Amino acid sequence: MQAPDHYRTLTAPATGFYRDRGSKFLAYGWAVWRESEIREKLDFLRKEHPKARHFCYAWRLGTDGTRFRANDDGEPSGTAGRPILGQIDSAGLTNVMVAVVRYFGGTLLGAQGLIEAYKTSAKDALEGATTEERLVEEILSIDFPYPAMNAVMTLVKKTQPNVLQQTFEATPRLVVALRKAQVAAFFGELEKIDGVQVETAEE
């Protein structure tokens, strides 16, 4: 099955809140792209809330959404991270983390109470969040001889990739960003033009 060439993520930080029998649950949502960013956000929350009891979180990364983690941070297994992750998935988001900071109110809530609290606070943050759909693009570097320029430029005009760079030296080069779903067909057309060399490039 082909991976989707679009995904939905947050466009701005989001917050949510839930209270139950004295315990307060403060939810924070962010768009993130690397695990290092997730660690930075958690460090930030621990400094912001030095008296909080738990910092439970979940995240999902990647344009195909296959990388994820749910952490209960000392709460009973499955009562915090998984409900948070469930709300990320219900919202259809990736490249997102949600952390919920708990201030203990002195009364034990039980497993069901905790599940409801972490789920509801995460849901409150994401329901109020602004999101956007982004395309998954592939960067291509295209080298070609001058006699092939007209054919290459005609194809580029037809396909309409985002042209990131173009140089016309000894060997002309174009660097373009193209929607992933269009890459195979674009490659196929380029292969029909003599002397063209194509490589995938890093952003």
Side-chain angles (χ1 to χ4, degrees):
M1 192 172 87
Q2 190 175 16
D5 69 344
H6 58 275
Y7 63 95
R8 184 165 289 279
T9 192
L10 298 180
T11 56
T15 58
F17 179 77
Y18 181 78
R19 183 195 294 270
D20 186 6
R21 285 167 278 179
S23 282
K24 293 187 294 183
F25 298 82
L26 287 71
Y28 297 84
W30 289 282
V32 289
W33 314 97
R34 293 172 293 276
E35 290 189 47
S36 60
E37 292 179 79
I38 294 165
R39 291 189 291 271
E40 289 169 5
K41 301 296 189 190
L42 291 169
D43 289 343
F44 164 76
L45 288 178
R46 290 186 177 106
K47 289 174 184 174
E48 285 289 300
H49 301 278
K51 295 182 179 179
R53 177 73 66 90
H54 300 282
F55 298 84
C56 305
Y57 63 92
W59 52 260
R60 191 173 287 283
L61 291 180
T63 54
D64 57 4
T66 55
R67 293 168 56 207
F68 64 93
R69 183 168 298 165
N71 189 298
D72 296 314
D73 192 35
E75 296 282 32
S77 178
T79 62
R82 279 286 173 183
I84 297 170
L85 182 63
Q87 292 309 301
I88 294 174
D89 293 345
S90 291
L93 301 173
T94 191
N95 289 332
V96 164
M97 75 168 289
V98 175
V100 178
V101 179
R102 181 189 182 187
Y103 284 88
F104 184 57
T107 302
L108 296 174
L109 303 182
Q112 280 305 122
L114 290 172
I115 290 169
E116 184 65 23
Y118 284 102
K119 171 186 172 182
T120 305
S121 55
K123 182 179 181 181
D124 185 51
L126 295 178
E127 282 187 339
T130 56
T131 66
E132 70 175 357
E133 192 167 280
R134 295 188 178 186
L135 293 178
V136 181
E137 295 184 317
E138 195 160 324
I139 312 285
L140 304 176
S141 177
I142 308 163
D143 292 323
F144 53 92
Y146 274 98
M149 182 180 290
N150 186 55
V152 171
M153 290 305 188
T154 298
L155 177 60
V156 167
K157 185 176 181 180
K158 173 186 169 186
T159 311
Q160 296 188 320
N162 182 19
V163 178
L164 305 178
Q165 179 187 334
Q166 52 186 6
T167 54
F168 299 102
E169 297 176 356
T171 301
R173 167 175 291 180
L174 284 176
V175 179
V176 302
L178 186 65
R179 184 169 179 164
K180 208 170 185 71
Q182 296 177 288
V183 169
F186 190 61
F187 258 108
E189 291 298 316
L190 286 171
E191 285 177 347
K192 298 175 185 177
I193 305 171
D194 288 340
V196 173
Q197 293 185 319
V198 189
E199 293 182 354
T200 55
E202 295 296 324
E203 289 186 72

